[in-house]
Amino acid sequence: MSNLLLQNGILDPDRLYNGIAIRAKDRQKALVFHKILLDPTMTRSDVRALLGFRSSTVSAAVKELMEDGLVMETSKITTGIPGRPTSALNVDIDRFTVISFYLENRYLIGAVVNLAGDVLSEKKTFLPVETDSDTFIHKFLELQKELSKDVPSSSELLGLGISPLGTVDVEHKNWIRCYRWSKIKDVGFTRAPFSELPVPIVVRRNLEAVLDYQMAAHSSYRKGGTAIFHWGFGIGGAFALDGFIIQSALGRFGDIGHTKVNSESNLACRCGSRGCLEAEAALWALLPELRNAGFQLDEDNHGFSNALKGEWLINVPGVKHGIEAISSGLYNYFRMFHPDRILLIGPFFENPLLAKHVIKSFKASLPSDLKNKVSVKVVEDAFRGCLISNAYPLFKDALKSHLICRS
Ligand SMILES: [Zn+2]
């Protein structure tokens, strides 16, 4: 079942309103909606029995939900009482959709996502290294146009969600820059041509979107500290405490890749500085050495991540050094936030041998009282979670307004 939104309570009233006080009757309506969402065989009397509400409360809530097209009556169910058949209630999970985008390798990937977190349609477009801002905008809009055709005719498209990488001013919806495509700069999602679109755009940082999805998919991650540590083309992190992601207004956070690990190093980093962790261990820094080792790796190739899963990788001298550097980086990151759990993501960690070495080295460096207190886990294909979590803010806003009682 792909209904992650349903399974993990992302739409339950407490999550929906982030703990903000709401009227008792609004909360009751939200709870009625949530019960119907969880079980497609639910009847009005089931909801009443489960929640202990008056039948007039349940009927009024269901009436408004049906008027808004959020809930439908389906097959009649025999109650055993002559002349009193009843109906099962279903949430129309295609009532709202969002077109969501994320970037991985050299691709912009987009999908139409419904309320249940189902991907109804998915398409992607290649962005070569020389892609500039205008080309990106053109390709984004082309992909958006194609995906719009796949929005179900009965569905209301709430908007677009995107999680760019690099430096992103989330508040002003501005993609400031990224190192992967150095010619993409200052893409303002509130300016033309985006401002001419009939729907709003939500902009998120990509690692925060990954973390948000993980917390929705695993409710235990919403307790205590959860950290993402990414090792791939770049190196970075994200951190949440009790389900809330810690952010910065400066456009970046958890920038462990650009912390200085070697003050005497002459290795130039793509950020313009020297001695950064990325210059020692990021994929962009290791690429020349990997190619010198005789491996035909093309960073634009779709099979790139799979090529990195080979056992050969561990024997490349630069990679050996990279493991040491990353283990220290992970240790430093842990020491800053002391999270209860660390999720390792990115192509290098999807190589089982590399992940094993890094985790072993990291654990060995911890003081004995902390060794067993932090869990470290590899999450494969983590960026796909952005397709779902980039839609959360739009779904939440729509549901918040529809779950307020009108009467
Ligand atoms: Zn740097």
Side-chain angles (χ1 to χ4, degrees), residues 272-286:
S273 189
R274 285 178 190 280
C276 294
L277 176 59
E278 277 208 5
E280 309 265 339
L283 184 47
W284 64 262
L286 297 178

Side-chain angles (χ1 to χ4, degrees), residues 162 197 217 253 274-275 285 299 314 360 406:
I162 181 165
L197 292 170
F253 189 85
R274 285 178 190 280
E299 60 175 304
I314 200 95
K360 192 176 166 194
R406 288 194 288 275

Side-chain angles (χ1 to χ4, degrees), residues 34-86:
H34 192 236
K35 284 289 173 233
I36 299 168
L37 191 66
L38 288 170
D39 183 352
T41 65
M42 197 73 67
T43 64
R44 284 175 179 79
S45 53
D46 293 337
V47 174
R48 199 181 64 233
L50 279 167
L51 293 172
F53 294 166
R54 289 175 171 183
S55 75
S56 57
T57 303
V58 174
S59 294
V62 170
K63 183 172 176 280
E64 288 190 1
L65 292 169
M66 289 180 68
E67 283 168 1
D68 287 348
L70 276 165
V71 165
M72 308 173 288
E73 276 185 319
T74 55
S75 56
K76 296 283 181 194
I77 294 172
T78 307
T79 59
I81 303 168
R84 295 280 302 274
T86 188

Side-chain angles (χ1 to χ4, degrees), residues 169-181:
D169 179 349
V170 170
E171 189 187 346
H172 299 101
K173 302 184 182 184
N174 196 21
W175 186 8
I176 296 168
R177 67 171 181 276
C178 73
Y179 303 127
R180 195 174 305 177
W181 292 280

